[in-house]
Amino acid sequence: FGTVTNCDRQSVQEHITVLLADGVTELKAAITTQSAERLGLENGREVLVLLKAPWVQVTRDATQACEADNQLRGVISEIKHAVDQSEVVVTVAGGQRVCATLTAQQTAALSPEEGAEVTAFFNADSLIIATLC
C-alpha cells in the first residue's frame, strides 16, 4: 500500500511515484493516462501497488540495475529452490519485502545466499496500480 506523491500528466502514458506505507520506499509506475484518469490518481491518493515476482530481477552488482526504473537495495531474507526456478525474497529499507522468481540460469548466476546484499530491480511498466474505492 502507498500514497501517490507525483503524477507527470503526459499525453499517453503517466509516470506515477508512490511512497509505500513504510514511509521510506518509493516506486515509479507507468500507466496509460486513461487508466490514471479512471482511477482518479492525484497526489495524496492511496493506492495498492502490485508486482509479479517473475518481473523482478536480482543482482549483487548494483551497476547492472542502473537502467531500471526501480532499484531497491536490500538483503536476501529467504530462498526457496525448486528444479527449474528459485524464489528469492529481498527485504529492503523500511522492511518491505520484494519477491523474485528466478530461472535456474539466473539463480546460478546470482548464487543467492541469505544475508547477501543485493539490488532488486524492475521497470515502471511492471507495476500494477489499483485504488481501493
Side-chain angles (χ1 to χ4, degrees), residues 6 10-11 14-16 23 34 52 60 68 72 77 80 84 88 101 108 111 113 118 124-125 128-129 133:
N6 188 45
Q10 298 293 316
S11 61
E14 287 199 26
H15 297 94
I16 311 295
Q34 186 176 37
K52 289 185 60 79
R60 291 179 190 249
L72 304 173
S77 55
K80 292 181 184 173
D84 295 336
V88 176
T101 304
S111 298
E113 58 189 53
V118 294
D125 59 1
I128 299 168
I129 302 291
C133 293

Side-chain angles (χ1 to χ4, degrees), residues 33-56:
T33 299
Q34 186 176 37
S35 292
E37 289 172 1
R38 188 172 52 252
L39 293 169
L41 296 184
E42 58 187 32
N43 290 354
R45 177 74 191 241
E46 290 187 17
V47 295
L48 174 63
V49 181
L50 303 169
L51 173 65
K52 289 185 60 79
W55 297 338
V56 178

Side-chain angles (χ1 to χ4, degrees), residues 58-118:
V58 180
T59 182
R60 291 179 190 249
D61 179 5
T63 60
Q64 186 181 20
C66 68
E67 292 187 22
D69 299 316
N70 294 286
Q71 305 162 26
L72 304 173
R73 295 283 303 152
V75 297
I76 296 176
S77 55
E78 187 178 338
I79 306 166
K80 292 181 184 173
H81 295 288
V83 176
D84 295 336
Q85 60 188 6
S86 296
E87 180 182 85
V88 176
V89 178
V90 178
T91 300
V92 301
Q96 295 292 324
R97 294 166 40 107
V98 177
C99 181
T101 304
L102 306 179
T103 65
Q105 183 178 9
Q106 291 170 319
T107 302
L110 179 64
S111 298
E113 58 189 53
E114 288 186 19
E117 291 187 13
V118 294

